[in-house]
Amino acid sequence: MHIFAPWSAYCSYLYKHSFSHPELVKESRRFVMVRQTYEQDTPVGEHLIREYNMVSSPAIHFFDRQGRLHKNFKIGYLVKGKVILKRMWAVQKLL
């Protein structure tokens, strides 16, 4: 799940550049990709911050087939597509 704040320059960069990495696009077909937009100071935003222990945006979380969150694989900062891809490969080894 990619938690995205439309007002954040980092979120916009991640969405436009990192998620367009060709290998990441191909590998993402093996995942269910969810993009959740949030605004600060709203009930949804406050829930996401509490539920996923967000201290910054963007945030990418990985869940298994049973819907369990794998906190060790969280990405809570701006990264290049290759970093996300490597994290996806690591998560797949668990499944």
Side-chain angles (χ1 to χ4, degrees), residues 34-72:
V34 176
R35 182 174 178 224
Q36 173 66 53
T37 302
Y38 88 99
E39 294 287 342
Q40 290 179 319
D41 302 324
T42 66
V44 171
E46 294 299 321
H47 171 75
L48 291 170
I49 290 168
R50 280 191 314 275
E51 183 73 19
Y52 298 107
N53 194 29
M54 289 179 52
V55 293
S56 65
S57 60
I60 302 171
H61 299 274
F62 293 91
F63 297 82
D64 62 22
R65 289 184 177 108
Q66 288 73 38
R68 291 182 300 244
L69 175 65
H70 288 274
K71 293 180 182 180
N72 294 340

Side-chain angles (χ1 to χ4, degrees), residues 70-87:
H70 288 274
K71 293 180 182 180
N72 294 340
F73 294 99
K74 175 184 174 183
I75 299 173
Y77 43 87
L78 181 62
V79 294
K80 295 188 183 260
K82 193 73 171 178
V83 173
I84 301 169
L85 184 62
K86 287 179 181 179
R87 195 68 53 95

